[in-house]
Amino acid sequence: MKNTKIVVITLIIAFAALGGAYALWYDSLYINETVETGKLNIEWACTGATDSGEDYTGSGYVDHKEKLNPAVYKNIGSSNYLLEDDSEFPPVSGVPDERNTRDSIKFDLKNCYPGYQESVVTLVRNYGDMPVKLQNLQPKEQIPSWLRVQIQDGMTHVVYYDSQPDANTSVVSINGQQVDPGRWLSLVFIQRVLDGAPQNHNNINNPQQIAFGIEGVQWNAYNVNPFNNTITPDK
C-alpha cells in the first residue's frame, strides 16, 4: 500500500510537469466599447410677427397710428411668415434628417410704405446634445438702400446687426454667443421702410426678398482652425 501511494503521487506531478512544458497557462482581458455620437441641431422656434395677417390687432409701432388720432390703427401694411425645412443634410435610407427641420423662416411684407415698421420675434433653440456657439449672422443678399434691417436680442435689446446703423446704434457681434442644450436665444428682426422706397414694388412679379443666415458650431470647435486631432495629456 505504501508503494502504491508513491506511484500515484509521482504520476500527478508528471502530468502537471508535462502540461507546463507543452503550453503555458494564460488568461485574456478584453475591452468592448460602444461609441455613440451626439447631434448638433439648432432650429427656429416660437416665431411670431407684430403685424401678422390682413387684420391689424396688435399694439403696434407709433408709425402704424394716425398722428392726429393715435387711437386709430391703420390696416395698410401686413406681414406673413412661414417656418420651412431646408435640405442642408440629405436623407439617410430615405428618412429625413431632423437637423433640416424648421431651419428657414420665409417672411413677406405687403403694402409697405415709407415709415412702415414690422418685427418678427423668434428663438434660436438648441435641440441638440451639446452646447452651440453662434457665428456669422449676416444677409445672403444685398439689402436695398430704402430698407433698414436691425436684429436685436429679444431679452437685452443688444443690437447684433444693423444694415444702416445711425449715431445712436451700437452693434455687438453675435459671434461666440453660446446656447446650451434645451436652451434658446431670443432674436427680434426689425424691418423699417425708409424714405425713397419705390412705389408699386410688386410682391408677385418683382418681390424684394432678403435672406439671413446664422451658423451654429460645437462649442469646443468655435474659432479653432484647424481642429486639434492630437492626443492631449490627461491632467
Side-chain angles (χ1 to χ4, degrees), residues 36-175:
E36 295 183 2
T37 60
K39 66 178 182 292
L40 190 153
N41 183 22
I42 55 174
E43 300 176 10
W44 299 116
C46 301
T47 304
T50 306
D51 190 6
S52 180
E54 298 299 328
D55 295 322
Y56 184 69
T57 57
S59 58
Y61 294 99
V62 65
D63 303 290
H64 296 168
K65 304 173 184 179
E66 185 176 344
K67 185 175 181 179
L68 300 179
N69 189 4
V72 176
Y73 296 97
K74 297 300 183 183
N75 184 24
I76 301 173
S78 63
S79 66
N80 289 291
Y81 69 90
L82 179 65
L83 288 173
E84 298 181 324
D85 300 344
D86 68 6
S87 56
E88 183 179 7
F89 301 100
V92 179
S93 302
V95 179
D97 196 313
E98 64 178 316
R99 293 174 296 175
N100 292 331
T101 305
R102 295 188 296 272
D103 280 359
S104 175
I105 298 178
K106 182 181 179 181
F107 187 68
D108 298 323
L109 295 179
K110 298 181 179 181
N111 293 330
C112 299
Y113 50 87
Y116 182 79
Q117 184 170 310
E118 171 62 337
S119 295
V120 174
V121 182
T122 188
L123 302 179
V124 179
R125 183 153 189 170
N126 186 350
Y127 286 93
D129 303 315
M130 64 194 69
V132 169
K133 286 188 180 291
L134 303 177
Q135 64 181 16
N136 297 335
L137 174 61
Q138 56 189 2
K140 300 300 183 181
E141 295 92 11
Q142 183 176 358
I143 298 176
S145 59
W146 49 266
L147 184 65
R148 181 178 178 182
V149 179
Q150 186 179 97
I151 302 175
Q152 299 180 2
D153 188 298
M155 301 297 293
T156 65
H157 303 293
V158 169
V159 178
Y160 293 125
Y161 175 86
D162 197 321
S163 61
Q164 300 186 44
D166 52 36
N168 298 320
T169 304
S170 178
V171 179
V172 177
S173 174
I174 202 172
N175 291 354

Side-chain angles (χ1 to χ4, degrees), residues 5-47:
K5 289 182 179 178
I6 293 173
V7 172
V8 172
I9 294 173
T10 302
L11 287 174
I12 294 174
I13 294 174
F15 275 110
L18 179 62
Y22 180 73
L24 296 175
W25 293 355
Y26 71 93
D27 191 6
S28 300
L29 298 176
Y30 298 93
I31 297 178
N32 295 314
E33 181 179 15
T34 300
V35 179
E36 295 183 2
T37 60
K39 66 178 182 292
L40 190 153
N41 183 22
I42 55 174
E43 300 176 10
W44 299 116
C46 301
T47 304

